[in-house]
Amino acid sequence: MSFDTSNPSILPSSPSPLRAVRMAQPQERVTAAHSHASGQLFGAMRGLLSVAADTGQWVVPASHCVWMPPHHVHALRSHGPFAGWSVYVDEASCGDLPIAPCVMRVSGLLREAVGRASAWNDGAFDARQARVAGVILDEIAASPHEAFGLPLPTDPRLLRVARAVLDDLTDERGVEALAAWAGVSPRTLARRFTIETGFTPSAWRQRARILRALELLAAGQPVTHIALDLGYDNVSAFIAMFKRVMGVTPGRYGEGMA
């Protein structure tokens, strides 16, 4: 089943209130800016998603998902190999759901319900399917919103830097090297990046590493492997950084995600 949200053939049709799909591919996935009449809840089982909407931009790990109400323009981009899922909610069923795009944590209940719904064939729901669909809608409505993600800059030069960082989080180039590569002065890069994202370039890269760490923790990867994958010379430095930002060690955080 295609994950291309610009393809109307995969959107849900009445009388079913929603339709769930899954997809996987070994390369980066890019979906151009578009909108549709259905609401959409989407997330990743593997890989980071960059999400650009008319009200904000985020980078979302597999532990979280994004709700996009009907008629909101949005675009998607994965970083590296991608496996994802999406739930399309008929506009008539969106009345009690958030009216603005938001990020929320993927609960175990929601993940299991979406997995079940993605195996259904087209057509009207029976009583059992309607109950599962109701669970999905309830989870979208009740899940707390989280100020979670990574703002992306809009300046094309800065966006090129941000994407390069996301594509290789082990890259340790500083502001001067990144500025030279992007064709902008170091001062402009540092100043504009902070204005557009709310983070200095170094703090932004640190947050990007935290997001990738959360994705890998959700996948059950050992903390030592995660530290090495993110370019840390030793696991202690990674644990200290994670605890400083998240308030708990990665091991304790991973236990809470289980």
Side-chain angles (χ1 to χ4, degrees), residues 69-91:
H71 307 293
H72 279 258
V73 176
H74 57 286
L76 309 176
R77 177 177 182 260
S78 70
H79 300 274
F82 178 71
W85 55 269
S86 192
V87 177
Y88 301 95
V89 181
D90 187 81
E91 187 171 9

Side-chain angles (χ1 to χ4, degrees), residues 13 15 18 32-33 49 67 99 111 121 128 157 171 176 187 192-193 195 203 241 244:
S13 58
L18 59 82
L49 279 176
W67 166 249
I99 61 174
R111 194 182 303 276
N121 296 321
R128 177 183 60 82
R157 299 166 300 174
D171 189 344
E176 290 191 359
R187 181 176 180 180
R192 292 299 308 170
F193 205 96
I195 291 173
M241 182 277 294
R244 184 170 62 252

Side-chain angles (χ1 to χ4, degrees), residues 83-130:
W85 55 269
S86 192
V87 177
Y88 301 95
V89 181
D90 187 81
E91 187 171 9
S93 299
C94 291
D96 295 328
L97 305 185
I99 61 174
C102 59
V103 177
M104 59 186 70
R105 179 174 292 278
V106 180
S107 66
L109 178 60
L110 176 60
R111 194 182 303 276
E112 292 301 319
V114 169
R116 179 68 61 86
S118 67
W120 297 341
N121 296 321
D122 295 341
F125 287 175
D126 60 26
R128 177 183 60 82
Q129 291 171 326

Side-chain angles (χ1 to χ4, degrees), residues 4 28 33 46 51 67 71-72 82 84 86 88 118 167-168 176 189-190 198 229 233 249:
D4 185 351
E28 175 186 276
R46 182 181 71 252
V51 183
W67 166 249
H71 307 293
H72 279 258
F82 178 71
S86 192
Y88 301 95
S118 67
D167 289 338
D168 183 7
E176 290 191 359
L189 174 60
D229 286 346
D233 294 331
T249 65

